[in-house]
Amino acid sequence: MLRRLRYPSYFLPFLFLLILGLLPFIINNEYILQVFIMFLFNAYLASGWNIISGFAGQLSLGHAAFVGIGAYTSTILFVQWGISPWIGMIFGGVIAAIFGWLIGYPVFKLRGPYYALATIAYGEIIRIFIQNTKAVGPIELKGAEGILIPFKGSSPALFQFETKAAYYYVALAMFLLVLLLSYKIKNSKMGYYLSAIGNDQDAAESLGVNTSKMKLTASAISAFVMALGGTFYAQFLLYINPQGVLSGDFSTEIAVIGIIGGEGTVFGPVLGSLILTPLSELTRIYLGGRFAGVHLLAYGLILMAVVTHIPHGVIGTFSKLYHRILLKLGDPVVSAKTGAGKTL
Amino acid sequence: MQTLIAATLNGLFMGSLYGLIAVGLSLVFGVMKIINFAHGALVMVGMYAVFYMWSLIGLDPYLSLVVVVPVLFLFGYFLQGKVINPVLKREFGRNGHAVILLTVGLTLVLQNAALLFFGAYYKAAKTFVSGMTWDMGGVVTSVPRLIAGVVGAIVILGLQLMLSKTDLGKAIRATGQDREAAGLMGINDYKIYNIAFGLCLAILGIAAALMLPMYYVQPEAGKIFEMRSFVIAVLGGIGSLSGAFYGGLIVGLIESVTAQVWSATAAEMLIFVVFIGVLLYKPSGLLGK
């Protein structure tokens, strides 16, 4: 293993990892660190979305619903009953997974645009419900006003930290875990089944793939991942409201990141976030409220350009570039495969 | 009882207007088989066009149609020709994700360009019918809504006549039924696509003029109508114009009556529940085959 680290195709990823791991020590600027946290977080969410929409080709435009379920579950458990968000996170994940399974059961009968329409509809139902409901029995949803999370000072057990760096490491850990999960799924039997479903569902079915079970499983996993992201979002911002965490725009943003990067690949969503997050965060910081909407305008233009000119996302272009760099560095593993290498 | 009659009437008028907007969506789907996720943003574009004709030149929204309808038709024609057709040609025979995403991108662009240039403020046009009501023996209805309902129904009827009687209408329907066969009959299919999209925008321009005396204009003004249009188009059988009209009436009634006897939130949610229900059990629409 260590000897292999001499090869660029092994040490380059390690180098990236090392840089990511040491980043808070390199960067003192809080704003820039914030941008990196959002980069990791967006990549995380887009990767979660990618499990059902990318691998299995079921375009979801309502994934904010699952993020919202996670955020609301852990927040309500914490604010009302003092249960640590770390535990609430798991609860939220399980509830979202059950919800993803249940909603998928009828909705997966629909194909293509009809499925996308249905995802918008359930996303909207949940948003409208929470936005207009003050409380359900003892559970206080607080409607449109949203829920403020009290800051208890530095208390890691309660998912609250004083420094941005600590949040950065939580985001990094979640990011790496979701990449590992994506990689495992993609390279498992399930991943092949999902990709068969994405290509041609009827053909997959006729070859004996249990398509509805596969899609339901992928949907539940995807919902679970999204919900954990929701808890992070809540603890990081210390405020959640339905117009933010449950909005249709948020759902669209998650999908756009995944698609621009390259849906159905492990690293596509990461690249999408790498391109789009700095764009949105920097415009937000420097142009502020005065030019509201600039980042979404840019998102829209980039999305249209990508759909028109690079239909499979930037991952393809990037992949070629990366292999060319490896070849330039004289990597024997890649050149042995005549430059083709593993697909990312 | 009188409030319930008023709610029913208002529901029908609103439903007719919703139907008119949904007809645009249904027409585009019927001909090109794409679901236009930018429909709401295009409604908003129409509303701004009508609004600025009123605020800059002082043209009454109803009169401004003379200018707005042809301009929007051309806008739609070129949008389809220059932006959507290239992707449609490449994606022919695939699942249609790319075109959905293109229209999602278009929505982001239009909505945020409006936010950037016109600001997030709510703008309203005060015309001679704004706030006018009509009292029919205790049943009160608003005049702009009445006009919207009646004109909406007339426009839908006119469009249907045009599609069934004129050569252009027949060419549009033929392209919708079988693009390749239509092409073999000498119909320029992509030009028909441009015309269909132009027609959709012209319809939205009319709807915008009907809406302006009663709605505020802002960058997200079209969103609610887009959601309604999805529901209505699916309810009536997507691609069917008369279906869209009846679907509009149903949704208008659900909205207005539920809000009256229960709450506006319940109405809002009920519409989506009906939507998912129809999608699941009769995706061809309540009135479809």
Side-chain angles (χ1 to χ4, degrees):
Chain A
M1 186 67 197
L2 276 177
R3 275 188 54 214
R4 281 189 179 170
L5 274 181
R6 283 180 304 149
Y7 305 146
S9 58
Y10 284 85
F11 80 65
L12 269 185
F14 268 95
L15 196 65
F16 290 138
L17 211 57
L18 199 67
I19 294 173
L20 275 181
L22 295 175
L23 208 75
F25 298 100
I26 307 167
I27 293 167
N28 294 320
N29 188 323
E30 289 258 300
Y31 280 133
I32 311 248
L33 203 57
Q34 162 103 9
V35 175
F36 273 98
I37 294 173
M38 290 317 287
F39 154 68
L40 293 172
F41 178 63
N42 285 336
Y44 173 87
L45 291 183
S47 298
W49 169 90
N50 191 41
I51 293 172
I52 183 69
S53 295
F55 292 159
Q58 309 294 313
L59 180 63
S60 164
L61 294 172
H63 251 48
F66 303 122
V67 184
I69 289 174
Y72 269 91
T73 306
S74 66
T75 301
I76 288 170
L77 287 178
F78 178 53
V79 174
Q80 280 186 249
W81 289 288
I83 296 169
S84 164
W86 291 113
I87 298 167
M89 197 177 198
I90 305 300
F91 268 107
V94 171
I95 291 176
I98 292 172
F99 184 77
W101 180 283
L102 287 179
I103 196 84
Y105 201 71
V107 166
F108 277 133
K109 285 184 195 153
L110 302 167
R111 300 280 178 91
Y114 290 102
Y115 173 76
L117 282 177
T119 61
I120 295 181
Y122 68 66
E124 283 294 291
I125 290 177
I126 292 178
R127 180 187 63 78
I128 295 167
F129 176 72
I130 294 187
Q131 198 165 323
N132 294 289
T133 310
K134 287 271 171 222
V136 180
I139 303 164
E140 286 180 33
L141 294 169
K142 295 208 172 166
E145 172 195 341
I147 305 178
L148 263 171
I149 300 162
F151 186 59
K152 307 239 157 121
S154 179
S155 39
L158 294 177
F159 206 137
Q160 294 196 340
F161 313 99
E162 286 203 5
T163 60
K164 281 242 158 78
Y167 283 104
Y168 175 86
Y169 282 114
V170 175
L172 181 62
M174 289 171 73
F175 167 78
L176 293 176
L177 282 175
V178 82
L179 281 189
L180 186 69
L181 178 70
S182 290
Y183 184 82
K184 286 281 181 206
I185 292 178
K186 174 116 182 135
N187 292 291
S188 69
K189 213 177 217 176
M190 181 182 173
Y192 298 131
Y193 285 160
L194 290 179
S195 127
I197 292 169
N199 279 328
D200 188 338
Q201 189 171 326
D202 297 321
E205 186 112 33
S206 67
L207 288 173
V209 177
N210 187 345
T211 56
S212 58
K213 188 183 157 204
M214 276 299 132
K215 287 198 284 187
L216 287 173
T217 313
S219 170
I221 295 174
S222 175
F224 183 83
V225 170
M226 300 313 279
L228 301 195
T231 299
F232 177 83
Y233 177 99
Q235 293 305 119
F236 184 54
L237 297 179
L238 296 174
Y239 173 65
I240 51 169
N241 65 347
Q243 299 93 317
V245 74
L246 283 165
S247 75
D249 282 345
F250 189 34
S251 288
T252 310
E253 224 173 308
I254 296 168
V256 168
I257 291 170
I259 291 152
I260 287 178
E263 45 181 333
T265 62
V266 175
F267 287 99
V270 181
L271 276 181
S273 178
L274 191 64
I275 295 167
L276 292 178
T277 306
L279 193 77
S280 83
E281 291 301 313
L282 293 176
T283 46
R284 209 170 292 171
I285 291 167
Y286 291 107
L287 299 177
R290 220 156 60 80
F291 294 107
V294 172
H295 85 275
L296 287 174
L297 180 64
Y299 268 38
L301 286 173
I302 295 176
L303 178 61
M304 289 175 74
V306 167
V307 170
T308 310
H309 301 290
I310 12 177
H312 302 295
V314 290
I315 187 86
T317 323
F318 176 83
S319 212
K320 273 182 213 146
L321 193 75
Y322 183 70
H323 277 113
R324 205 169 299 156
I325 293 172
L326 287 182
L327 277 177
K328 272 255 165 69
L329 292 172
D331 187 83
V333 185
V334 173
S335 29
K337 292 178 184 166
T338 62
K342 285 193 292 188
T343 48
L344 280 171
Chain B
M1 192 61 212
Q2 269 165 349
T3 50
L4 207 60
I5 296 175
T8 309
L9 268 183
N10 279 333
L12 289 175
F13 296 150
M14 280 313 293
S16 172
L17 176 65
Y18 287 154
L20 180 65
I21 297 170
V23 156
L25 187 81
S26 225
L27 178 71
V28 166
F29 183 85
V31 178
M32 288 165 266
K33 310 289 175 260
I34 56 177
I35 293 186
N36 179 14
F37 279 83
H39 200 65
L42 295 170
V43 171
M44 179 270 299
V45 168
M47 288 175 86
Y48 272 106
V50 177
F51 174 80
Y52 278 105
M53 291 303 283
W54 173 81
S55 84
L56 297 179
I57 313 174
L59 218 50
D60 184 83
Y62 297 149
L63 279 179
S64 70
L65 284 181
V66 186
V67 187
V68 170
V69 165
V71 169
L72 282 179
F73 177 85
L74 287 178
F75 178 59
Y77 190 95
F78 286 108
L79 201 60
Q80 177 72 31
K82 301 288 174 210
V83 179
I84 303 176
N85 275 348
V87 178
L88 215 52
K89 279 179 192 165
R90 192 195 67 215
E91 292 290 309
F92 183 64
R94 300 230 200 104
N95 59 16
H97 280 189
V99 185
I100 292 180
L101 295 169
L102 188 71
T103 59
V104 169
L106 187 62
T107 305
L108 289 174
V109 170
L110 292 174
Q111 231 174 54
N112 292 288
L115 189 60
L116 199 60
F117 293 120
F118 307 134
Y121 323 104
Y122 284 58
K123 300 179 198 297
K126 262 205 120 26
T127 73
F128 74 101
V129 289
S130 295
M132 212 189 261
T133 54
W134 187 29
D135 191 336
M136 295 172 285
V139 178
V140 184
T141 182
S142 106
V143 172
R145 202 172 284 172
L146 173 75
I147 296 175
V150 174
V151 176
I154 294 172
V155 173
I156 296 173
L157 196 67
L159 188 74
Q160 196 135 38
L161 278 176
M162 182 268 204
L163 285 179
S164 56
K165 300 279 184 247
T166 63
D167 283 350
L168 176 64
K170 285 175 187 161
I172 291 176
R173 283 192 303 142
T175 312
Q177 275 167 17
D178 189 334
R179 204 191 71 149
E180 288 182 353
L184 291 173
M185 300 299 131
I187 293 169
N188 184 342
D189 46 1
Y190 283 107
K191 198 168 168 198
I192 292 291
Y193 282 7
N194 299 350
I195 293 172
F197 209 73
L199 271 179
C200 165
L201 273 195
I203 293 167
L204 294 185
I206 298 173
L210 295 173
M211 279 149 63
L212 217 63
M214 34 179 183
Y215 284 99
Y216 290 107
V217 187
Q218 43 104 11
E220 297 202 338
K223 225 172 196 173
I224 178 91
F225 295 98
E226 175 174 291
M227 285 300 172
R228 292 281 183 279
S229 299
F230 287 158
V231 176
I232 292 164
V234 169
L235 208 62
I238 196 158
S240 146
L241 300 197
S242 55
F245 178 66
Y246 296 124
L249 294 186
I250 293 172
V251 167
L253 278 178
I254 294 179
E255 181 186 72
S256 171
V257 174
T258 315
Q260 187 66 44
V261 300
W262 202 353
S263 75
T265 309
E268 198 85 352
M269 283 172 59
L270 189 62
I271 289 172
F272 282 111
V273 171
V274 169
F275 179 48
I276 293 195
V278 173
L279 268 179
L280 293 177
Y281 297 106
K282 209 151 182 312
S284 58
L286 284 181
L287 308 163
K289 287 180 233 85

